[in-house]
């Protein structure tokens, strides 16, 4: 993408995972800004060790290599800027306003999932310093032209998942969307390098976060609890009020819980 740091864009018909590919490239010394985009992934990675599946040639499956000098506790902002750039791109290309479900899902206005983001830091090849700065690969999978009808989805996804094609009512050009995403990402990544810029990105995330103000169930590896998400911290972590206590959630899964009628 001219005028940005994302000029080395590597396309693959099929690859196991664009995140895996760029993590290896990072270890071999690839510079910030390398992009990997695939028509199909045979072992696409999702959050929390899940798989990310999509039929060939339908969705945008892309990863970017970043080398941000982020304070350790602000690592979440690296994935947040990619989610925010995707919102910008969808707004610019299709005039659709999406929201972020914490930590990093993109939701349509009706709450159905449209995209997921997975950030993987490579601590083994972190640049020395205090604090050490690891390269981070941030991958996003956006449902662009799949599904093209409700019947195309596997049963477990029907009703909870949608695509740009469904929302816009037409086939969407994936290359244009990628260009818009990388264009929007450039200033957001530049912001990661300054205190003021990081605060601006955290504010932008808060403004577009559908989770804040919602009743949630937080699922942690060893337990779960319910409460109301009241805010995001400057690091992009979720604040949940549960039984009168404010708890900060750094990582985990969150389910938006619908209030029961009258409750
Ligand atoms: C999630 O679980 O919601 C995150 C899914 C992230 C999927 C994308 S597709 C491109 C990149 N390569 C991968 O292997 N995963 C990410």
């Amino acid at each position: 993408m001219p005028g940005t740091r994302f000029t080395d864009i590597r396309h693959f018909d099929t690859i196991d995972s664009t995140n895996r590919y760029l993590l290896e490239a990072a270890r071999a010394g690839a510079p910030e800004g390398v992009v990997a985009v695939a028509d199909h992934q045979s072992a696409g990675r999702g959050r929390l060790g899940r798989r990310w599946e999509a039929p060939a040639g339908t969705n945008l499956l892309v990863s970017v290599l970043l080398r941000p000098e982020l304070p350790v506790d602000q690592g979440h902002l690296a994935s947040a800027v990619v989610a925010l750039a995707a919102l910008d791109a969808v707004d610019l290309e299709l005039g659709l306003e999406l929201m972020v479900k914490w930590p990093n899902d993109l939701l349509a206005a009706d709450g159905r999932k449209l995209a997921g983001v997975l950030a993987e830091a490579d601590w083994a090849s972190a640049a020395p310093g205090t604090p050490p700065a690891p390269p981070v690969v941030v991958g996003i999978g956006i449902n662009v032209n799949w599904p093209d009808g409700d019947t195309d989805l596997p049963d477990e996804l029907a009703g909870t998942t949608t695509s740009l094609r469904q929302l816009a009512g037409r086939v969407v050009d994936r290359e244009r969307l990628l260009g818009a995403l990388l264009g929007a990402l450039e200033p957001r990544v530049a912001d990661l390098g300054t205190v003021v810029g990081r605060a601006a990105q955290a504010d932008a995330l808060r403004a577009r976060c559908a989770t804040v103000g919602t009743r949630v169930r937080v699922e942690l590896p060893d337990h779960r609890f319910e409460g109301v998400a009241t805010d995001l911290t400057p690091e992009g972590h979720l604040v949940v009020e549960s039984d009168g206590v404010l708890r900060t959630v750094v990582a985990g899964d969150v389910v938006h819980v619908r209030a029961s009628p009258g409750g």
Side-chain angles (χ1 to χ4, degrees), residues 5 32 65-71 75 78 132-137 189 192-193:
R5 71 196 73 200
E32 173 165 84
L65 170 57
L66 304 178
R67 293 184 177 276
E69 298 223 347
L70 277 173
V136 183
V137 172
V189 170
L192 295 180

Side-chain angles (χ1 to χ4, degrees), residues 17-19 41 44-47 52 61-63 105 113 116-118 139-141:
S17 155
T18 52
N19 265 33
Q41 295 183 124
R45 301 180 185 177
R47 289 181 58 245
W52 186 259
L61 308 169
V62 60
S63 302
D105 286 350
K113 179 166 172 168
V117 176
L118 173 67
I140 182 166

Side-chain angles (χ1 to χ4, degrees), residues 154-232:
D155 283 352
E156 68 274 16
L157 297 181
T160 59
T161 303
T162 188
S163 69
L164 294 179
R165 179 178 177 162
Q166 284 189 333
L167 296 175
R170 65 170 171 87
V171 171
V172 174
D173 185 325
R174 289 180 296 155
E175 275 301 308
R176 276 188 65 116
L177 188 68
L178 175 62
L181 192 158
L182 296 176
L185 186 56
E186 174 59 36
R188 292 192 182 278
V189 170
D191 263 2
L192 295 180
T194 65
V195 172
V196 172
R198 288 194 288 274
Q201 293 308 315
D203 286 348
L205 181 63
R206 190 180 296 106
R208 303 297 295 272
C209 183
T211 306
V212 173
T214 303
R215 184 156 189 88
V216 292
R217 185 169 69 246
V218 179
E219 304 192 334
L220 302 172
D222 48 351
H223 72 291
R224 52 171 62 180
F225 65 93
E226 271 196 31
V228 175
T230 57
D231 201 2
L232 294 183

Side-chain angles (χ1 to χ4, degrees), residues 96-176:
L96 292 170
E97 207 170 295
L98 308 177
M99 296 290 279
V100 177
K101 170 177 171 275
W102 193 89
N104 275 318
D105 286 350
L106 266 54
L107 301 184
D110 65 3
R112 283 187 292 169
K113 179 166 172 168
L114 198 100
V117 176
L118 173 67
E120 297 184 84
D122 181 29
W123 285 95
S125 58
T130 317
V136 183
V137 172
V138 188
I140 182 166
I142 306 178
N143 297 337
V144 178
N145 293 316
W146 173 82
D148 60 6
D150 282 332
T151 49
D152 263 349
L153 278 168
D155 283 352
E156 68 274 16
L157 297 181
T160 59
T161 303
T162 188
S163 69
L164 294 179
R165 179 178 177 162
Q166 284 189 333
L167 296 175
R170 65 170 171 87
V171 171
V172 174
D173 185 325
R174 289 180 296 155
E175 275 301 308
R176 276 188 65 116

